[in-house]
Amino acid sequence: GTQKSLVFVGYRESVERVGSFLEQQGVMADIFHGGMEQRDRERALYRFMNSSCNVFVSTDLASRGLDITAIDNIIHYHLPLNQEACTHRNGRTARWDMQGSAYFILGPEEQLPDYIPADEAEPYPLPAKVPPPAKPLWVTLYIGKGKKDKISRGDIVGFLTKQGGLESSQVGRIDVLPHWSYVAVERASASGLLSRIKGLKIKGQKTIYALAGR
């Protein structure tokens, strides 16, 4: 439930197909491509960044420009178009002094591109039986108030500990956006949270609370 993997798929239709397949296999994966509504892309991105979702299936839209840290694995479901695309994809694991692994899935008619030295790549044997995927350690809470409402990270932590009955250690990454916020909450502690905070005001303001995703 802790390894974060970014899967690169060439086309948006394939992104949706791979995401649906992983979901059918019990893997909690989010998808990301340019054809999605901005808010849906945003929700998926923040869930991945706060480790509520550990598999992120995307087109090359996620290969640059997004501030995603601590990615453990890059998986090339479709081969990159060129060396530059490959560099940007794999570079997602090398930020902030982090390290990671890159995997290439090859079809029967495919081979590694020439710019990847053969002596730097080795086959990865798949086990005969794969254990059930672990659920992420966190879930994401949506709060319908943000910076425009004078809400801060400290306000959210105080609300969830005093009104929601959580310990501060059970509250993870908090992203306060202009009109709403996303908060990582320890999965094991999330049971009953919505019922405890339903109808309560945060910083004197009524709002909506909901779990974003699973």
Side-chain angles (χ1 to χ4, degrees), residues 8-212:
F8 282 105
V9 181
Y11 309 98
R12 66 179 61 171
E13 297 82 2
S14 300
V15 167
E16 295 176 357
R17 178 169 53 82
V18 171
S20 296
F21 173 79
L22 290 174
E23 184 175 335
Q24 293 168 7
Q25 302 303 310
V27 178
M28 297 179 68
D30 269 330
I31 65 172
F32 188 86
H33 62 71
M36 297 168 60
E37 294 290 336
Q38 170 65 26
R39 192 161 180 174
D40 292 334
R41 291 202 307 268
E42 178 186 86
R43 180 172 58 246
L45 178 61
Y46 283 109
R47 275 171 38 83
F48 184 59
M49 290 196 298
N50 70 25
S51 299
S52 295
C53 159
N54 290 343
V55 179
F56 196 65
V57 185
S58 175
T59 59
D60 279 336
L61 190 62
S63 65
R64 63 178 83 185
L66 298 178
D67 186 19
I68 309 175
T69 59
I71 297 175
D72 299 288
N73 306 297
I74 297 296
I75 301 172
H76 301 269
Y77 178 81
H78 286 150
L79 292 176
L81 293 176
N82 50 48
Q83 185 171 5
E84 181 185 12
C86 185
T87 298
H88 283 292
R89 285 182 178 189
N90 289 343
R92 305 305 303 188
T93 67
R95 295 160 183 251
W96 307 104
D97 298 324
M98 302 295 289
Q99 295 183 342
S101 302
Y103 299 90
F104 295 83
I105 299 177
L106 301 178
E109 305 299 323
E110 291 181 315
Q111 58 185 9
L112 284 176
D114 293 338
Y115 53 78
I116 300 176
D119 59 352
E120 293 183 11
E122 58 185 55
Y124 181 80
L126 293 175
K129 186 175 182 181
V130 179
K135 290 185 177 180
L137 301 179
W138 303 88
V139 296
T140 296
L141 175 69
Y142 166 88
I143 298 177
K145 296 292 179 182
K147 293 178 182 177
K148 299 285 187 181
D149 308 293
K150 310 299 183 184
I151 298 295
S152 69
R153 289 181 176 85
D155 296 326
I156 292 174
V157 172
F159 174 74
L160 293 177
T161 53
K162 294 175 184 176
Q163 306 291 331
L166 300 181
E167 300 290 335
S168 58
S169 61
Q170 296 169 330
V171 180
R173 173 174 171 145
I174 300 174
D175 292 286
V176 183
L177 306 180
H179 299 288
W180 51 78
S181 303
Y182 294 108
V183 188
V185 176
E186 187 181 61
R187 178 177 295 275
S189 308
S191 178
L193 175 62
L194 289 181
S195 62
R196 293 195 298 272
I197 62 177
K198 182 179 179 180
L200 298 181
K201 296 180 179 180
I202 180 169
K203 206 174 181 181
Q205 305 173 77
K206 274 198 168 185
T207 189
I208 297 172
Y209 310 102
L211 292 180

